[in-house]
Amino acid sequence: MNAATRATAFCAAIALFSISGCGGGSGGSADGNMAAVDEDSPEFAAMQYRQGLMHVLGYKVATLRDMAEGTIEADAGVFAKYAADTATAADMLLEGFVGMEASSTDALPGSGAFPDVWSDWDDFSQKAAELAAAADEVSAAASAPGFMVMADSAEPLGPVCGNCHRTYRQR
Ligand code: HEC
């Protein structure tokens, strides 16, 4: 999402709260309006938490993939640690969503979590479990004696991020 789209989405969301000031003005108006978001709310904290966690996952998994593909130097020890970290982070994923319906795209500017996360909770949880299972599989293989990073070492992690994002994440 570029800055302009983000500002538009923000203003569309903020309109729900009948706050004026969106649309008009020059560059930087979004910053002024940011004060309208209650940054002390549990919903805002949950959004910050899960978005941060997603970036942790993104960094760890990109590194695993790059090592497997040989675009960066493979280090079996680092690979094993990052795989274990991915499994740990996957186990922490639902904590950023549970009970936080009011932090969906419909309710909280900046959120990329569709309301379906909560209305289809069992399926959403299942997608999180699939990520955890894939990470556990990669981690178990990487912690075996004599492990060496191979082209398919990160393969189980391939589809699991997108499988959830396709349905539940607004981009
Ligand atoms: C169970 C569902 C699910 C899985 C699995 C999942 N994500 Fe996400 N991801 C989401 C949702 C929902 C959002 C939107 C969160 C928000 O903005 O509140 C998101 C957002 C993100 C973002 C954007 C964060 C931001 O600051 O806006 C990144 C990056 C990301 N995910 C990376 C990943 C990676 C990498 C994986 C796999 C290793 C992954 N995700 C697995 C559901 C998932």
Side-chain angles (χ1 to χ4, degrees):
M1 198 186 276
N2 64 32
T5 326
R6 199 182 287 278
T8 307
F10 178 80
C11 288
I14 212 75
L16 296 170
F17 301 103
S18 311
I19 291 166
S20 60
C22 276
S26 48
S29 65
D31 284 338
N33 289 326
M34 277 302 172
V37 178
D38 181 2
E39 298 192 356
D40 290 330
S41 67
E43 287 77 16
F44 188 83
M47 179 181 74
Q48 295 279 86
Y49 165 83
R50 69 193 183 222
Q51 290 179 349
L53 188 75
M54 292 290 169
H55 285 281
V56 168
L57 282 168
Y59 183 76
K60 296 288 177 180
V61 171
T63 305
L64 294 173
R65 199 169 290 153
D66 288 348
M67 281 192 188
E69 288 171 359
T71 53
I72 61 172
E73 197 179 335
D75 178 315
V78 173
F79 189 98
K81 179 182 185 298
Y82 277 34
D85 291 344
T86 302
T88 301
D91 283 341
M92 294 161 67
L93 190 153
L94 289 181
E95 293 160 25
F97 295 92
V98 67
M100 289 290 160
E101 289 89 340
S103 70
S104 77
T105 48
D106 282 359
L108 185 63
S111 173
F114 282 131
D116 311 61
V117 166
W118 294 275
S119 55
D120 297 334
W121 184 257
D122 287 351
D123 181 66
F124 183 75
S125 306
Q126 176 60 32
K127 301 262 188 301
E130 284 165 15
L131 167 61
D136 283 341
E137 185 184 341
V138 172
S139 178
S143 54
F147 169 75
M148 281 170 55
V149 182
M150 311 289 269
D152 64 354
S153 292
E155 206 169 77
L157 287 165
V160 288
C161 310
N163 276 351
C164 186
H165 289 166
R166 245 188 312 287
T167 312
Y168 297 105
R169 177 185 174 196
Q170 181 180 61
R171 307 195 72 135

